[in-house]
């Protein structure tokens, strides 16, 4: 585990079927901002290798990934998050951050790289917990309720030759995510992959 990383969960963000109380236990006392875990490390490693130029980390949470990209590459890094508490934490790390929903606040063709560790846990509506951590973790019933609109809109903000680094869990349906990305005109390759007891995490590189 990388220095500064906080192992919030045993192996991954969740196993299928977690209840609200189990998720609360696994995320510890943190109720406001998603903290670095195995998925964060995986995205950071891929971004350090593949990010270039003007780089946006969507849903930055604590800002840990964006900070690593900024300090370990020559990329010009900006981050976004919808959660104001997350924006505050990221700024405390020295990350330039904008409060925004996905990429809606960014101009057409303004970015070379976009990195995203999305909320991906499939969540039964009867087990929703209705706090800021839910927005950071829950991908709705399919696990793709945030991933799909991201894939449908991220191409707008990319410059020619731009790329996306997207974390995908097997819990969300890997092939479904690939198919959605390809339908939006991206060439898809897998640049990182790790297996855990309840899921496989992959980093997809999407080239426009």
């Amino acid at each position: 585990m990388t220095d500064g990383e906080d192992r919030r969960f045993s192996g991954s963000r969740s196993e299928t079927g977690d209840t609200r109380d189990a998720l609360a236990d696994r995320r510890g006392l943190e109720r406001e901002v998603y903290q670095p875990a195995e998925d964060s490390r995986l995205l950071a490693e891929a971004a350090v290798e593949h990010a270039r130029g003007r780089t946006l980390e969507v849903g930055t949470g604590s800002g840990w990934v964006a900070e690593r990209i900024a300090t370990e590459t020559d990329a010009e890094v900006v981050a976004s998050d919808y959660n104001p508490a997350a924006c505050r934490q990221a700024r405390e790390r020295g990350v330039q951050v904008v409060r925004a929903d996905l990429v809606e606040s960014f101009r057409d063709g303004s970015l070379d790289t976009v990195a995203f560790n999305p909320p991906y846990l499939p969540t039964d509506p009867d087990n929703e917990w209705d706090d800021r951590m839910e927005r950071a973790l829950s991908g709705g019933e399919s696990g793709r309720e945030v991933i799909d609109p991201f894939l449908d809109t991220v191409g707008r903000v990319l410059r020619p030759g731009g790329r996306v680094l997207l974390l995908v869990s097997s819990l969300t349906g890997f092939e479904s995510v690939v198919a959605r990305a390809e339908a939006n005109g991206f060439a898809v390759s897998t640049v990182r992959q790790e297996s855990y007891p309840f899921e496989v995490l992959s980093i997809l590189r999407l080239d426009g």
Side-chain angles (χ1 to χ4, degrees), residues 153-169:
T153 58
V154 68
R156 175 187 64 79
V157 300
L158 290 176
R159 293 171 178 160
R163 61 189 56 167
V164 176
L165 299 168
L166 177 66
L167 186 137
V168 178
S169 167

PDB file of all heavy atoms in Angstrom, residues 153-169:
ATOM      1  N   THR A 153     -20.777  12.111 -22.054  1.00  0.00           N
ATOM      2  CA  THR A 153     -20.466  13.547 -22.101  1.00  0.00           C
ATOM      3  C   THR A 153     -18.983  13.879 -22.114  1.00  0.00           C
ATOM      4  O   THR A 153     -18.609  14.980 -22.514  1.00  0.00           O
ATOM      5  CB  THR A 153     -21.109  14.282 -20.904  1.00  0.00           C
ATOM      6  OG1 THR A 153     -20.641  13.695 -19.677  1.00  0.00           O
ATOM      7  CG2 THR A 153     -22.626  14.173 -20.952  1.00  0.00           C
ATOM      8  N   VAL A 154     -18.126  12.943 -21.676  1.00  0.00           N
ATOM      9  CA  VAL A 154     -16.720  13.295 -21.498  1.00  0.00           C
ATOM     10  C   VAL A 154     -16.025  13.616 -22.810  1.00  0.00           C
ATOM     11  O   VAL A 154     -15.095  14.441 -22.855  1.00  0.00           O
ATOM     12  CB  VAL A 154     -15.964  12.174 -20.735  1.00  0.00           C
ATOM     13  CG1 VAL A 154     -15.861  10.901 -21.573  1.00  0.00           C
ATOM     14  CG2 VAL A 154     -14.580  12.656 -20.301  1.00  0.00           C
ATOM     15  N   GLY A 155     -16.472  13.033 -23.910  1.00  0.00           N
ATOM     16  CA  GLY A 155     -15.838  13.318 -25.200  1.00  0.00           C
ATOM     17  C   GLY A 155     -15.886  14.789 -25.578  1.00  0.00           C
ATOM     18  O   GLY A 155     -15.004  15.283 -26.291  1.00  0.00           O
ATOM     19  N   ARG A 156     -16.894  15.499 -25.106  1.00  0.00           N
ATOM     20  CA  ARG A 156     -17.050  16.916 -25.443  1.00  0.00           C
ATOM     21  C   ARG A 156     -15.869  17.755 -24.971  1.00  0.00           C
ATOM     22  O   ARG A 156     -15.472  18.713 -25.638  1.00  0.00           O
ATOM     23  CB  ARG A 156     -18.350  17.442 -24.808  1.00  0.00           C
ATOM     24  CG  ARG A 156     -18.574  18.934 -24.977  1.00  0.00           C
ATOM     25  CD  ARG A 156     -19.778  19.426 -24.199  1.00  0.00           C
ATOM     26  NE  ARG A 156     -19.642  19.287 -22.765  1.00  0.00           N
ATOM     27  CZ  ARG A 156     -18.933  20.118 -21.978  1.00  0.00           C
ATOM     28  NH1 ARG A 156     -18.280  21.147 -22.519  1.00  0.00           N
ATOM     29  NH2 ARG A 156     -18.874  19.917 -20.681  1.00  0.00           N
ATOM     30  N   VAL A 157     -15.302  17.417 -23.816  1.00  0.00           N
ATOM     31  CA  VAL A 157     -14.268  18.268 -23.226  1.00  0.00           C
ATOM     32  C   VAL A 157     -12.856  17.882 -23.658  1.00  0.00           C
ATOM     33  O   VAL A 157     -11.891  18.564 -23.317  1.00  0.00           O
ATOM     34  CB  VAL A 157     -14.352  18.249 -21.680  1.00  0.00           C
ATOM     35  CG1 VAL A 157     -15.704  18.761 -21.221  1.00  0.00           C
ATOM     36  CG2 VAL A 157     -14.055  16.869 -21.116  1.00  0.00           C
ATOM     37  N   LEU A 158     -12.714  16.791 -24.410  1.00  0.00           N
ATOM     38  CA  LEU A 158     -11.384  16.328 -24.803  1.00  0.00           C
ATOM     39  C   LEU A 158     -10.891  17.043 -26.052  1.00  0.00           C
ATOM     40  O   LEU A 158     -11.644  17.273 -27.002  1.00  0.00           O
ATOM     41  CB  LEU A 158     -11.402  14.825 -25.072  1.00  0.00           C
ATOM     42  CG  LEU A 158     -11.579  13.908 -23.870  1.00  0.00           C
ATOM     43  CD1 LEU A 158     -11.664  12.472 -24.341  1.00  0.00           C
ATOM     44  CD2 LEU A 158     -10.446  14.078 -22.865  1.00  0.00           C
ATOM     45  N   ARG A 159      -9.601  17.368 -26.036  1.00  0.00           N
ATOM     46  CA  ARG A 159      -8.947  17.848 -27.237  1.00  0.00           C
ATOM     47  C   ARG A 159      -8.706  16.672 -28.183  1.00  0.00           C
ATOM     48  O   ARG A 159      -8.747  15.509 -27.761  1.00  0.00           O
ATOM     49  CB  ARG A 159      -7.612  18.507 -26.874  1.00  0.00           C
ATOM     50  CG  ARG A 159      -7.763  19.797 -26.073  1.00  0.00           C
ATOM     51  CD  ARG A 159      -6.432  20.288 -25.541  1.00  0.00           C
ATOM     52  NE  ARG A 159      -6.587  21.553 -24.821  1.00  0.00           N
ATOM     53  CZ  ARG A 159      -5.724  22.027 -23.941  1.00  0.00           C
ATOM     54  NH1 ARG A 159      -4.618  21.352 -23.658  1.00  0.00           N
ATOM     55  NH2 ARG A 159      -5.946  23.187 -23.342  1.00  0.00           N
ATOM     56  N   PRO A 160      -8.438  16.945 -29.475  1.00  0.00           N
ATOM     57  CA  PRO A 160      -8.078  15.852 -30.380  1.00  0.00           C
ATOM     58  C   PRO A 160      -6.899  15.054 -29.817  1.00  0.00           C
ATOM     59  O   PRO A 160      -5.919  15.622 -29.335  1.00  0.00           O
ATOM     60  CB  PRO A 160      -7.687  16.591 -31.665  1.00  0.00           C
ATOM     61  CG  PRO A 160      -8.482  17.859 -31.610  1.00  0.00           C
ATOM     62  CD  PRO A 160      -8.519  18.249 -30.162  1.00  0.00           C
ATOM     63  N   GLY A 161      -7.026  13.736 -29.833  1.00  0.00           N
ATOM     64  CA  GLY A 161      -5.999  12.889 -29.259  1.00  0.00           C
ATOM     65  C   GLY A 161      -6.093  12.734 -27.757  1.00  0.00           C
ATOM     66  O   GLY A 161      -5.224  12.111 -27.144  1.00  0.00           O
ATOM     67  N   GLY A 162      -7.154  13.277 -27.149  1.00  0.00           N
ATOM     68  CA  GLY A 162      -7.324  13.185 -25.709  1.00  0.00           C
ATOM     69  C   GLY A 162      -7.668  11.782 -25.264  1.00  0.00           C
ATOM     70  O   GLY A 162      -8.057  10.924 -26.064  1.00  0.00           O
ATOM     71  N   ARG A 163      -7.539  11.560 -23.957  1.00  0.00           N
ATOM     72  CA  ARG A 163      -7.759  10.226 -23.412  1.00  0.00           C
ATOM     73  C   ARG A 163      -8.477  10.294 -22.069  1.00  0.00           C
ATOM     74  O   ARG A 163      -8.427  11.304 -21.368  1.00  0.00           O
ATOM     75  CB  ARG A 163      -6.428   9.496 -23.240  1.00  0.00           C
ATOM     76  CG  ARG A 163      -5.470  10.178 -22.277  1.00  0.00           C
ATOM     77  CD  ARG A 163      -4.072   9.567 -22.285  1.00  0.00           C
ATOM     78  NE  ARG A 163      -3.474   9.562 -23.604  1.00  0.00           N
ATOM     79  CZ  ARG A 163      -2.180   9.316 -23.814  1.00  0.00           C
ATOM     80  NH1 ARG A 163      -1.364   9.063 -22.797  1.00  0.00           N
ATOM     81  NH2 ARG A 163      -1.698   9.326 -25.038  1.00  0.00           N
ATOM     82  N   VAL A 164      -9.134   9.196 -21.733  1.00  0.00           N
ATOM     83  CA  VAL A 164      -9.827   9.047 -20.454  1.00  0.00           C
ATOM     84  C   VAL A 164      -9.245   7.838 -19.742  1.00  0.00           C
ATOM     85  O   VAL A 164      -8.996   6.801 -20.369  1.00  0.00           O
ATOM     86  CB  VAL A 164     -11.341   8.849 -20.662  1.00  0.00           C
ATOM     87  CG1 VAL A 164     -12.055   8.605 -19.328  1.00  0.00           C
ATOM     88  CG2 VAL A 164     -11.954  10.037 -21.388  1.00  0.00           C
ATOM     89  N   LEU A 165      -9.036   7.955 -18.435  1.00  0.00           N
ATOM     90  CA  LEU A 165      -8.648   6.838 -17.586  1.00  0.00           C
ATOM     91  C   LEU A 165      -9.791   6.591 -16.620  1.00  0.00           C
ATOM     92  O   LEU A 165     -10.085   7.431 -15.771  1.00  0.00           O
ATOM     93  CB  LEU A 165      -7.352   7.157 -16.838  1.00  0.00           C
ATOM     94  CG  LEU A 165      -6.157   7.420 -17.743  1.00  0.00           C
ATOM     95  CD1 LEU A 165      -4.996   8.013 -16.944  1.00  0.00           C
ATOM     96  CD2 LEU A 165      -5.720   6.153 -18.469  1.00  0.00           C
ATOM     97  N   LEU A 166     -10.467   5.466 -16.772  1.00  0.00           N
ATOM     98  CA  LEU A 166     -11.701   5.182 -16.037  1.00  0.00           C
ATOM     99  C   LEU A 166     -11.549   3.899 -15.243  1.00  0.00           C
ATOM    100  O   LEU A 166     -11.239   2.849 -15.806  1.00  0.00           O
ATOM    101  CB  LEU A 166     -12.872   5.046 -17.012  1.00  0.00           C
ATOM    102  CG  LEU A 166     -14.231   4.687 -16.411  1.00  0.00           C
ATOM    103  CD1 LEU A 166     -14.758   5.808 -15.528  1.00  0.00           C
ATOM    104  CD2 LEU A 166     -15.233   4.360 -17.515  1.00  0.00           C
ATOM    105  N   LEU A 167     -11.778   3.979 -13.930  1.00  0.00           N
ATOM    106  CA  LEU A 167     -11.786   2.778 -13.111  1.00  0.00           C
ATOM    107  C   LEU A 167     -13.128   2.067 -13.258  1.00  0.00           C
ATOM    108  O   LEU A 167     -14.179   2.686 -13.174  1.00  0.00           O
ATOM    109  CB  LEU A 167     -11.532   3.120 -11.639  1.00  0.00           C
ATOM    110  CG  LEU A 167     -11.394   1.885 -10.747  1.00  0.00           C
ATOM    111  CD1 LEU A 167     -10.241   2.040  -9.775  1.00  0.00           C
ATOM    112  CD2 LEU A 167     -12.689   1.594  -9.994  1.00  0.00           C
ATOM    113  N   VAL A 168     -13.058   0.755 -13.473  1.00  0.00           N
ATOM    114  CA  VAL A 168     -14.257  -0.061 -13.649  1.00  0.00           C
ATOM    115  C   VAL A 168     -14.161  -1.276 -12.741  1.00  0.00           C
ATOM    116  O   VAL A 168     -13.113  -1.935 -12.678  1.00  0.00           O
ATOM    117  CB  VAL A 168     -14.414  -0.522 -15.111  1.00  0.00           C
ATOM    118  CG1 VAL A 168     -15.648  -1.402 -15.261  1.00  0.00           C
ATOM    119  CG2 VAL A 168     -14.506   0.675 -16.040  1.00  0.00           C
ATOM    120  N   SER A 169     -15.234  -1.574 -12.042  1.00  0.00           N
ATOM    121  CA  SER A 169     -15.322  -2.775 -11.222  1.00  0.00           C
ATOM    122  C   SER A 169     -16.125  -3.844 -11.943  1.00  0.00           C
ATOM    123  O   SER A 169     -17.090  -3.545 -12.665  1.00  0.00           O
ATOM    124  CB  SER A 169     -16.010  -2.452  -9.892  1.00  0.00           C
ATOM    125  OG  SER A 169     -16.377  -3.637  -9.203  1.00  0.00           O
TER     126      SER A 169
END
